[in-house]
Amino acid sequence: MGTKAAEALDISFEELTPYLHTNHSVYMDVDGATYYLTDVNDRYWRAQDTTQLNDKGHYVDASELVPTISEFLTLPFVGDASIADVFDDAVFYASEKAE
């Protein structure tokens, strides 16, 4: 789990899939909430709620695990909406890894 960058990414919906393949995670702000969109061992994708931590200090899952980014982008977890549905209203931030 990285930390949320201070500056927003300038990214289109079409660029999001290759960005996730390369960087493995991104933060998404939408409707007053922040989600951490990330892979799990390069095999599955999930969204996590950044306002809740589990007993290990990790974000709590806000979506189910799915095997592909294309499935992940259309998975409803923001209310009844998916990333594809809310993309135009969302702001994305890089996830910066501690060095």
Side-chain angles (χ1 to χ4, degrees), residues 80-97:
D80 289 332
S82 67
I83 296 167
D85 296 330
V86 302
F87 184 86
D88 290 339
D89 297 320
V91 179
F92 294 86
Y93 298 85
S95 174
E96 298 176 335
K97 307 293 183 204

Side-chain angles (χ1 to χ4, degrees), residues 35-53:
Y35 297 97
Y36 186 59
L37 313 179
T38 187
D39 66 2
V40 180
N41 299 326
D42 239 2
R43 293 191 180 149
Y44 291 91
W45 294 88
R46 67 178 170 205
Q48 296 179 306
D49 182 344
T50 64
T51 65
Q52 299 180 49
L53 299 176

